[in-house]
Amino acid sequence: TLSLHDALPIYITRTYWLVIMRELIDSGYVSGIKYIAAKDMEQILEVGTFSITKSGREYLSQNSMMQKAKEFLGKPFEILLGAVIGRL
Protein backbone atom coordinates (compact mmCIF):
# COMPACT_ATOMS: atom_id res chain seq x y z
CA THR A 1 0.00 0.00 0.00
CA LEU A 2 1.05 3.59 -0.55
CA SER A 3 1.94 5.80 2.38
CA LEU A 4 0.41 9.25 2.60
CA HIS A 5 3.77 10.65 1.44
CA ASP A 6 3.98 8.29 -1.56
CA ALA A 7 0.52 9.36 -2.74
CA LEU A 8 1.57 12.99 -3.25
CA PRO A 9 1.38 14.21 -6.86
CA ILE A 10 4.56 16.28 -6.34
CA TYR A 11 7.95 15.32 -4.92
CA ILE A 12 9.17 16.59 -1.57
CA THR A 13 11.57 14.80 0.72
CA ARG A 14 10.06 12.52 3.33
CA THR A 15 11.79 14.53 6.06
CA TYR A 16 10.22 17.81 4.91
CA TRP A 17 6.84 16.11 4.47
CA LEU A 18 7.01 14.87 8.08
CA VAL A 19 7.77 18.41 9.29
CA ILE A 20 4.78 19.79 7.36
CA MET A 21 2.43 17.07 8.57
CA ARG A 22 3.57 17.44 12.19
CA GLU A 23 2.91 21.19 12.04
CA LEU A 24 -0.54 20.62 10.51
CA ILE A 25 -1.41 18.09 13.21
CA ASP A 26 0.01 20.18 16.09
CA SER A 27 -1.82 23.28 14.83
CA GLY A 28 -5.12 21.41 14.68
CA TYR A 29 -5.51 21.91 10.91
CA VAL A 30 -6.01 18.20 10.17
CA SER A 31 -7.53 15.24 11.98
CA GLY A 32 -7.53 11.48 11.58
CA ILE A 33 -3.74 11.19 11.65
CA LYS A 34 -1.14 11.19 14.39
CA TYR A 35 2.59 11.98 14.37
CA ILE A 36 4.65 9.21 15.98
CA ALA A 37 8.33 9.58 16.86
CA ALA A 38 10.62 6.99 18.42
CA LYS A 39 14.38 6.83 18.90
CA ASP A 40 15.23 6.43 15.21
CA MET A 41 11.83 6.45 13.50
CA GLU A 42 9.16 8.98 12.56
CA GLN A 43 5.86 8.30 10.85
CA ILE A 44 2.34 9.53 10.35
CA LEU A 45 -0.21 7.02 11.57
CA GLU A 46 -3.76 7.01 10.29
CA VAL A 47 -6.02 6.84 13.36
CA GLY A 48 -9.32 7.63 11.69
CA THR A 49 -10.66 9.28 8.59
CA PHE A 50 -8.32 12.03 7.42
CA SER A 51 -9.96 15.42 7.15
CA ILE A 52 -9.10 19.07 7.16
CA THR A 53 -10.58 20.68 10.24
CA LYS A 54 -12.58 23.91 10.29
CA SER A 55 -9.43 25.71 11.43
CA GLY A 56 -7.52 24.18 8.51
CA ARG A 57 -10.15 25.26 6.01
CA GLU A 58 -10.14 28.78 7.45
CA TYR A 59 -6.34 28.88 7.20
CA LEU A 60 -6.45 27.80 3.55
CA SER A 61 -9.06 30.39 2.67
CA GLN A 62 -7.62 33.30 4.67
CA ASN A 63 -3.85 32.82 4.50
CA SER A 64 -2.40 35.64 2.40
CA MET A 65 0.35 33.48 0.85
CA MET A 66 -2.20 30.86 -0.20
CA GLN A 67 -4.36 33.62 -1.68
CA LYS A 68 -1.37 35.03 -3.59
CA ALA A 69 -0.53 31.58 -4.94
CA LYS A 70 -4.16 31.06 -5.93
CA GLU A 71 -4.30 34.43 -7.70
CA PHE A 72 -0.98 33.90 -9.47
CA LEU A 73 -1.58 30.31 -10.57
CA GLY A 74 -5.35 30.46 -11.00
CA LYS A 75 -7.30 27.31 -11.77
CA PRO A 76 -4.23 24.99 -11.90
CA PHE A 77 -3.53 25.87 -8.25
CA GLU A 78 -7.07 24.94 -7.23
CA ILE A 79 -6.84 21.67 -9.15
CA LEU A 80 -3.46 20.80 -7.60
CA LEU A 81 -4.63 21.71 -4.10
CA GLY A 82 -7.73 19.56 -4.58
CA ALA A 83 -5.60 16.66 -5.79
CA VAL A 84 -3.24 16.92 -2.81
CA ILE A 85 -6.10 17.12 -0.33
CA GLY A 86 -7.99 14.32 -2.06
CA ARG A 87 -5.02 11.96 -1.94
CA LEU A 88 -4.23 12.44 1.74
Side-chain angles (χ1 to χ4, degrees):
T1 63
L2 289 176
S3 72
L4 291 172
H5 173 261
D6 295 334
L8 292 173
I10 57 174
Y11 178 77
I12 60 173
T13 66
R14 184 174 188 282
T15 301
Y16 184 54
W17 180 81
L18 287 167
V19 168
I20 292 168
M21 295 308 293
R22 183 176 182 185
E23 289 176 358
L24 291 171
I25 294 165
D26 290 348
S27 298
Y29 293 151
V30 295
S31 63
I33 57 177
K34 184 176 182 179
Y35 173 80
I36 305 289
K39 184 177 180 179
D40 59 351
M41 182 270 315
E42 293 178 285
Q43 72 177 28
I44 303 298
L45 179 65
E46 294 179 68
V47 294
T49 302
F50 176 84
S51 65
I52 298 175
T53 64
K54 181 180 179 195
S55 296
R57 291 188 303 273
E58 289 172 355
Y59 176 80
L60 286 173
S61 67
Q62 295 175 1
N63 180 279
S64 64
M65 290 301 288
M66 293 296 282
Q67 288 298 319
K68 287 178 185 176
K70 181 179 175 183
E71 291 168 11
F72 179 74
L73 298 172
K75 194 66 173 173
F77 173 79
E78 293 180 41
I79 293 168
L80 178 60
L81 182 59
V84 169
I85 291 170
R87 289 182 180 228
L88 294 179

